[in-house]
Amino acid sequence: MEELKNRIVSADEAASWIEDGMTLGLSGFTRAGDAKAVPMSLVERAKTDPFKVNIFTGASLGFDLDKMMAEAGIIHKRLPFQADPVMRKEINEGHLLFVDQHLSHTAESIRSGILGPVDYAIVEAVAITEDGLIIPATSVGNSSIFVDRAENVIVELNTAQPAELEGLHDIFNPNDPGKRGPIRLTSVDERIGEIGIRVDPVKIKGIVLTNAQDSPSTIVPPDAETAQMADHLIAFFREEVKAGRLTNELAPLQSGIGSVANAVMHGLIESEFENLEVYSEVLQDAVFDLFDCGKIRFASGCSITLSEEKMQDVYSNLARYQGKLVLRPQEISNHPELIRRLGLLSINTALEADIYGNVNSTHVLGTKMMNGIGGSGDFARNCRTAIFVTKSTAKGGAVSSIVPFVSHVDHTEHDVDVIVTEQGYADLRGLAPRERVLVIIENCAHPAYKEQLRRYYEEALSRGGQTPHVLEKALSWHTRLAETGSMLEQSSLSLS
Ligand code: COA
């Protein structure tokens, strides 16, 4: 495509095309494959020329882009996920609007026009092929729907990303509602689409040349508590094998973002389970550690997000994973039809769970946004077994992650099968609410909070009901935390 060479422009020039009030669809999913140069130029431009735009992405961005854009005040509305402390603060102070969306829903909202037109898709790529395919870098995220629906496309061609990524992607567009057939993917390793994002070359308004690696992930290594959680999860899987519901190959695994989910996956390295498959959205360090010790047969994701050390190793040796890895759009990695068909075991992290199994993954003290629901709802609602992991306490023990009533509900009791903490696991499947309370308190709560939880439940029982509660006290643990700095009642034993 000789003609495209004439469209090479600087990031500043591309940024100058963006007008106040526009909507931008940026590539990027959990710090991987983000458009880097044009957003930076937009932040620079805002210093002398203030404006606001809507920023849609796959998920969170690297390079401190979410932080810088939030600080520069250029965002009117942001969706569907972020994980940056500064942006979080701006959201919680009401300075920018955040739509916390199921990650499989964004493409559908764009297709239906609910989110309005996308003026510019700005996507990172490792190549544009002769036959008009944009080859994404380390994530697909929502890039294919942005390119498909945007009026203009800016491609950031990044020479620092490994060229061997070409061939790794499988881009499938499910078409508009009402014109769709089944998505013909019946195993994690099947390919159903093209190796790149098909684009009408006329829409490519500019190509910006860049040379910068993704930001490394910020996950912290496994610790004693996450190792215990991994042990409990493995004990649960063993029971499933014993009961004949799983074999030693388990079922395709999905694991969410963050240190806890990564550490729990890491625990599988020492287990007897083998020939594993992964059907997830983000592929973190643990997936590649499992690959490297021969435990994983195939992994399908929509982004690769790695620590600095792992990134050097994986990207210098991509050939090692050839034929064992595929990256798909997030509406496919998180698609309800496929999650249900493949029968996933889904492992996601909760901030808190209540005694009946409702889970809060997003709102601290019921009001303050943490990161967003991400794909956890896509998976929990449709998978074979929805597992939520969380340490039993947070903030040095001042917070119990098992509470009488969650202060915000992301995953209802109907969608939560198993809760795992470092104390043990609660298998809630087939249990009525009154049965669930007992296993959650006894198996998952921290000993310092067990008696308090039992007292709450006894009082709730005296009022009766299918799901007994003392409604005026249901959120008293959260108000106590706000007032005294701890959820512990004064009469309870301290944690130390
Ligand atoms: N109340 C208040 N704060 C809490 C808390 C609670 N009940 N539970 C945890 N936290 C705090 C921790 O103290 C920690 O704070 P710090 O950053 O100041 O140290 C922070 O939340 C992160 O917790 P951590 O235990 O380190 O876990 P994590 O890195 O695995 O993140 C989630 C946990 C829930 C925030 C994260 O997994 C998430 O955003 N999940 C929702 C999206 C999702 O599940 N996506 C899955 C598909 S991508």
Side-chain angles (χ1 to χ4, degrees):
M1 287 219 180
E2 204 49 33
E3 204 268 313
L4 283 181
K5 287 197 179 141
N6 300 329
R7 296 191 216 165
I8 294 176
V9 293
S10 69
D12 287 349
E13 184 175 349
S16 74
W17 301 332
I18 308 303
E19 292 167 22
D20 186 50
M22 279 186 167
T23 293
L24 314 182
L26 306 186
S27 68
F29 193 103
T30 54
R31 305 167 79 80
D34 20 35
K36 301 171 174 67
V38 180
M40 293 251 204
S41 289
L42 284 171
V43 168
E44 273 309 302
R45 194 187 118 188
K47 289 179 183 162
T48 51
D49 172 22
F51 61 92
K52 278 199 192 291
V53 286
N54 298 319
I55 298 286
F56 301 171
T57 59
S60 53
L61 301 176
F63 267 73
D64 279 344
L65 285 171
D66 274 329
K67 170 176 182 270
M68 290 191 295
M69 289 192 289
E71 281 172 344
I74 66 170
I75 302 183
H76 169 64
K77 188 175 272 184
R78 175 81 175 87
L79 63 82
F81 185 82
Q82 60 75 46
D84 179 78
V86 173
M87 180 168 276
R88 192 178 290 155
K89 189 165 165 281
E90 293 294 303
I91 291 168
N92 289 323
E93 287 177 0
H95 298 150
L96 70 95
L97 300 170
F98 177 55
V99 183
D100 176 19
Q101 241 185 351
H102 292 300
L103 294 189
S104 73
H105 283 195
T106 310
E108 287 292 76
S109 311
I110 289 172
R111 258 188 209 103
S112 66
I114 284 170
L115 296 173
V118 178
D119 298 289
Y120 276 86
I122 310 175
V123 297
E124 185 175 81
V126 294
I128 304 173
T129 65
E130 285 296 327
D131 57 344
L133 292 177
I134 296 173
I135 308 295
T138 45
S139 70
V140 181
N142 278 319
S143 298
S144 48
I145 189 73
F146 293 152
V147 168
D148 188 52
R149 298 295 159 124
E151 205 159 309
N152 304 285
V153 176
I154 298 170
V155 179
E156 289 195 5
L157 214 47
N158 187 348
T159 44
Q161 295 280 27
E164 297 79 21
L165 286 170
E166 187 167 342
L168 196 78
H169 310 90
D170 186 48
I171 312 296
F172 177 81
N173 182 341
N175 210 343
D176 290 338
K179 297 179 189 160
R180 289 180 182 151
I183 300 178
R184 300 196 179 282
L185 191 126
T186 55
S187 64
V188 299
D189 54 359
E190 263 172 302
R191 301 186 68 94
I192 52 173
E194 297 190 279
I195 62 159
I197 302 168
R198 192 150 290 283
V199 61
D200 174 359
V202 174
K203 288 209 304 191
I204 301 183
K205 179 153 180 190
I207 297 173
V208 176
L209 303 180
T210 66
N211 183 266
Q213 283 197 329
D214 287 339
S215 319
S217 81
T218 51
I219 49 167
V220 296
D223 60 24
E225 284 183 328
T226 54
Q228 284 170 328
M229 288 154 80
D231 286 348
H232 297 312
L233 182 71
I234 287 165
F236 167 73
F237 286 154
R238 281 194 188 120
E239 288 303 314
E240 289 298 280
V241 173
K242 237 192 262 173
R245 287 187 283 269
L246 291 173
T247 68
N248 265 6
E249 297 185 355
L250 299 178
L253 292 157
Q254 176 265 330
S255 95
I257 56 145
S259 306
V260 172
N262 182 65
V264 168
M265 280 290 279
H266 208 262
L268 288 169
I269 290 174
E270 299 297 327
S271 76
E272 69 275 32
F273 304 113
E274 56 193 6
N275 216 16
L276 302 171
E277 293 179 336
V278 170
Y279 192 84
S280 202
E281 35 172 59
V282 55
L283 306 179
Q284 303 190 105
D285 280 24
V287 168
F288 290 87
D289 291 335
L290 284 161
F291 257 131
D292 294 343
C293 69
K295 286 278 185 192
I296 289 187
R297 190 187 77 71
F298 196 93
S300 166
C302 81
S303 83
I304 301 174
T305 303
L306 302 170
S307 63
E308 182 87 62
E309 198 191 352
K310 202 71 196 166
M311 202 186 295
Q312 301 310 335
D313 179 46
V314 169
Y315 293 147
S316 320
N317 297 288
L318 257 185
R320 199 157 71 201
Y321 309 100
Q322 211 160 23
K324 299 178 181 174
L325 201 57
V326 67
L327 293 183
R328 310 178 193 276
Q330 67 198 67
E331 65 172 331
I332 301 299
S333 61
N334 290 31
H335 201 287
E337 174 188 345
L338 303 176
I339 293 167
R340 183 64 67 91
R341 179 177 302 138
L342 296 171
L344 303 192
L345 300 169
S346 288
I347 308 157
N348 291 292
T349 312
L351 283 174
E352 60 179 3
D354 69 28
I355 54 174
Y356 295 108
N358 298 292
V359 163
N360 170 12
S361 294
T362 58
H363 283 69
V364 174
L365 289 175
T367 54
K368 293 215 160 52
M369 175 52 63
M370 185 72 186
N371 300 326
I373 193 167
S376 55
D378 292 324
F379 290 102
R381 185 75 191 92
N382 300 293
C383 65
R384 170 195 308 239
T385 312
I387 301 160
F388 281 90
V389 294
T390 177
K391 292 183 182 179
S392 69
T393 61
K395 305 296 173 204
V399 174
S400 172
S401 307
I402 307 296
V403 289
F405 208 154
V406 282
S407 54
H408 173 92
V409 189
D410 292 295
H411 311 292
T412 75
E413 51 162 327
H414 312 283
D415 296 334
V416 177
D417 294 318
V418 180
I419 296 174
V420 181
T421 70
E422 81 291 349
Q423 301 294 324
Y425 74 84
D427 181 356
L428 309 176
R429 293 170 303 169
L431 300 188
R434 287 171 187 234
E435 294 174 297
R436 272 183 246 146
V437 177
L438 304 175
V439 284
I440 292 174
I441 295 177
E442 299 314 322
N443 296 3
C444 295
H446 191 280
Y449 284 99
K450 276 188 181 169
E451 199 42 49
Q452 240 178 263
L453 286 165
R454 290 187 197 116
R455 279 202 299 274
Y456 174 86
Y457 181 56
E458 271 163 34
E459 193 177 347
L461 265 184
S462 70
R463 308 233 179 143
Q466 157 78 358
T467 307
H469 266 301
V470 187
L471 279 181
E472 68 276 17
K473 290 187 182 170
L475 293 175
S476 62
W477 290 38
H478 301 86
T479 48
R480 187 179 311 118
L481 176 68
E483 283 160 12
T484 70
S486 172
M487 286 185 174
L488 275 174
E489 286 168 1
Q490 274 185 343
S491 58
S492 300
L493 291 172
S494 80
L495 275 177
S496 51

